Amino acid sequence: MQKTTTKTLQPTFWKLFWLFLKISFFSFGGGNAMFPMIRQYCVEKNKWVSDQDIDDILVITNSLPGASAVEGIMYISLLLLKSKWKAALVTSLSLLPHTLLFFVLFFLSNKYIPTEYLKIIYVAVIPVIIALLLNMSLRYLKINRNELPVTIHWLIFVITLSFSVLVPVPYCIPVFVIVFFVICLLVYKWIKNKKHKGKKND
């Protein structure tokens, strides 16, 4: 991955900590739902990193096992602070309060909070998550529509949606879907390059 950070004033340890702490408390839906907020602050507002950095991080964190939020924050911290220890500390400190709050709420919900209230919160949060993910998906669709035909995008969407809905959870292993589409895209690129070379030779 190429480091394409912009030439602006780099953030301090505490500024990054405070930023990721706020994002962890005010974003719902996991790592993918956090990335639009991370992009807003790190790319658009402060210009610490580029869109290409965020795109690379998003692809890599979703291709690897583990929490994409932790991996994304860790990589951005490492990219900006140039120190493994500082990056690890920022990630740990900024996500620790959010994690502790989760366990407290989980404990309270089991003993004191009626499940009906939790269902109301869940229904309220879901549209926000969907909107964030749709906004991000449309952005990538606009960026990559010259690389892949719209039909391929729709095919990927239909297959992944069908896989998520129809395949039972114990056997729903996302890595198989990722590997399948990587192979398909490599074959597509190979055919496209072969046709392009054939036209040049003609």
Side-chain angles (χ1 to χ4, degrees):
M1 186 191 310
Q2 292 182 347
K3 295 181 180 180
T4 52
T5 49
T6 52
K7 293 181 180 179
T8 56
L9 185 63
Q10 297 299 291
T12 62
F13 175 93
W14 292 109
K15 192 164 187 178
L16 269 185
F17 160 74
W18 178 241
L19 171 64
F20 291 136
L21 181 68
K22 287 190 295 184
I23 290 176
S24 70
F25 273 108
F26 290 100
S27 59
F28 301 89
N32 286 334
M34 287 176 67
F35 272 104
M37 291 185 70
I38 291 174
R39 180 180 174 275
Q40 180 186 356
Y41 282 98
C42 293
V43 177
E44 294 180 356
K45 188 175 180 182
N46 295 303
K47 302 188 187 307
W48 292 332
V49 297
S50 69
D51 269 323
Q52 185 62 49
D53 290 317
I54 297 296
D55 295 344
D56 291 341
I57 294 166
L58 188 62
V59 170
I60 290 173
T61 54
N62 279 277
S63 302
L64 295 173
S68 58
V70 177
E71 294 165 350
I73 290 174
M74 180 71 178
Y75 183 84
I76 292 174
S77 301
L78 182 61
L79 191 64
L80 295 173
L81 297 175
K82 315 294 185 189
S83 167
K84 294 177 183 177
W85 294 108
K86 287 182 180 179
L89 200 56
V90 164
T91 305
S92 303
L93 290 177
S94 61
L95 294 178
L96 183 61
H98 171 260
T99 306
L100 292 175
L101 177 63
F102 166 78
F103 281 113
V104 169
L105 290 176
F106 183 76
F107 173 77
L108 292 175
S109 65
N110 281 338
K111 292 209 168 187
Y112 304 107
I113 302 176
T115 54
E116 288 75 15
Y117 293 163
L118 296 176
K119 288 176 183 177
I120 293 170
I121 295 171
Y122 182 76
V123 170
V125 166
I126 284 295
V128 177
I129 298 171
I130 292 173
L132 286 170
L133 295 177
L134 275 176
N135 181 56
M136 186 170 63
S137 300
L138 289 172
R139 177 176 168 265
Y140 285 117
L141 181 62
K142 289 176 183 176
I143 293 171
N144 296 312
R145 63 184 175 185
N146 295 327
E147 293 290 327
L148 289 174
V150 177
T151 50
I152 300 292
H153 284 283
W154 276 109
L155 183 63
I156 293 172
F157 172 75
V158 170
I159 291 175
T160 50
L161 180 64
S162 303
F163 185 86
S164 301
V165 172
L166 301 176
V167 178
V169 173
Y171 307 104
C172 184
I173 304 174
V175 70
F176 291 131
V177 180
I178 294 169
V179 170
F180 171 73
F181 280 116
V182 166
I183 293 170
C184 290
L185 290 173
L186 287 173
V187 171
Y188 173 81
K189 285 284 187 182
W190 179 76
I191 294 171
K192 190 176 179 181
N193 289 336
K194 196 172 180 182
K195 285 182 179 178
H196 185 68
K197 288 179 181 177
K199 287 180 180 178
K200 277 189 174 181
N201 293 331
D202 293 341

